[in-house]
Amino acid sequence: ISVLIADNTLYCANEGEPISEKGMRYLLMSHLTTKGREDIGRFGLGFKSVLAVCDHPEVYSRSVSFRFNPPEHTATMAALVGEGESLPKLRTAVPLSWDDGCAQDSNLADLLTWATTVVRLPLREVSVQDALDQVAAFPAAFLVFSPHVSQLSVLAQEYGVAREVTVAEDGDHIVVTENGTAERWRVFAKRFDIADLSEPDRRLMDRRLDKWKSLPMSWALSRAPHVSAVGSGFSYRRRPRRRSRES
């Protein structure tokens, strides 16, 4: 995965599978999808977060290219619902030309020489610094829980941000290396039965999880000597790592 910020635009490129028709429908119907129960991005809400920094997200994939929230659709919907009413986001899209996009944006063209999909976000002027702060502070340890990612590159050269992160398995450990500095992690996983949750906890769950019998949970411990007994953490749902051990 490569993340680039240049010319007030954020690009996220990857070598994964191109976007399929089903995948596009998932994005257009966020929070209404029926992905597998342990898929990351089950309801498409992760992609929806780009609206915090961008009004018209663009996707260039080897299968299809399109722009969300095209201005012409926004104007039409605004006329229908009336002035001052909120409009739906990420519900409409128009096709884009791969060739035209590359001709107009050299950064996009360079990324598409190797990537299968590039998400292009023209940033609002007030959002550029926020995007820079977030990519600079993004925890490298996130890759411990991302078995589908082996390398992450973050570059915002004109702002002095350059990060290269790799991840590899070493026996029972995951080794995350950023700009030459390695940190070893031990990953654990366990499934929790829904029936064992208290009634208050069950009420806090998303109602679409009611039919599940169990939920996976994974956590990791750093083996770095500087890590104290009390630390910080972050969480998100993921597919269990194939080689993780239960504890």
Side-chain angles (χ1 to χ4, degrees), residues 156-197:
Q157 194 166 7
E158 58 190 292
Y159 303 100
V161 178
R163 304 176 62 188
E164 290 289 339
V165 184
T166 60
V167 60
E169 295 189 12
D170 183 12
D172 293 333
H173 294 82
I174 305 299
V175 181
V176 178
T177 304
E178 178 171 0
N179 295 345
T181 301
E183 186 167 2
R184 295 170 63 84
W185 294 82
R186 180 72 181 272
V187 182
F188 304 89
K190 186 176 179 66
R191 299 195 71 91
F192 292 86
D193 291 336
I194 298 296
D196 293 338
L197 296 176

Side-chain angles (χ1 to χ4, degrees), residues 219-242:
W219 64 100
L221 299 176
S222 173
R223 303 303 298 270
H226 65 271
V227 176
S228 64
V230 179
S232 61
F234 56 90
S235 63
Y236 65 98
R237 294 192 57 248
R238 59 173 282 275
R239 287 181 181 270
R241 180 176 290 278
R242 183 170 51 187

Side-chain angles (χ1 to χ4, degrees), residues 61-183:
S61 188
R62 296 190 182 276
S63 52
V64 64
S65 300
F66 52 93
R67 175 189 292 120
F68 285 106
N69 307 331
E72 60 270 27
H73 288 192
T74 301
T76 300
M77 287 190 292
L80 292 173
V81 302
E83 185 177 354
E85 295 293 329
S86 60
L87 300 176
K89 302 291 187 180
L90 300 185
R91 295 296 191 226
T92 61
V94 293
L96 293 175
S97 166
W98 173 296
D99 292 336
D100 289 348
C102 291
Q104 297 167 12
D105 187 333
S106 60
N107 293 315
L108 177 66
D110 289 343
L111 290 169
L112 287 174
T113 60
W114 61 268
T116 53
T117 300
V118 176
V119 177
R120 181 180 183 273
L121 306 179
L123 299 171
R124 303 187 198 101
E125 186 174 349
V126 296
S127 301
V128 174
Q129 189 59 52
D130 181 42
L132 285 167
D133 292 342
Q134 291 196 50
V135 298
F138 184 80
F142 189 91
L143 271 66
V144 170
F145 301 103
S146 304
H148 53 291
V149 179
S150 62
Q151 181 175 349
L152 170 66
S153 172
V154 180
L155 180 63
Q157 194 166 7
E158 58 190 292
Y159 303 100
V161 178
R163 304 176 62 188
E164 290 289 339
V165 184
T166 60
V167 60
E169 295 189 12
D170 183 12
D172 293 333
H173 294 82
I174 305 299
V175 181
V176 178
T177 304
E178 178 171 0
N179 295 345
T181 301
E183 186 167 2

Side-chain angles (χ1 to χ4, degrees), residues 32-43:
L32 300 174
T33 66
T34 56
K35 288 185 187 177
R37 61 180 58 184
E38 292 173 13
D39 288 349
I40 293 175
R42 174 173 163 77
F43 301 121

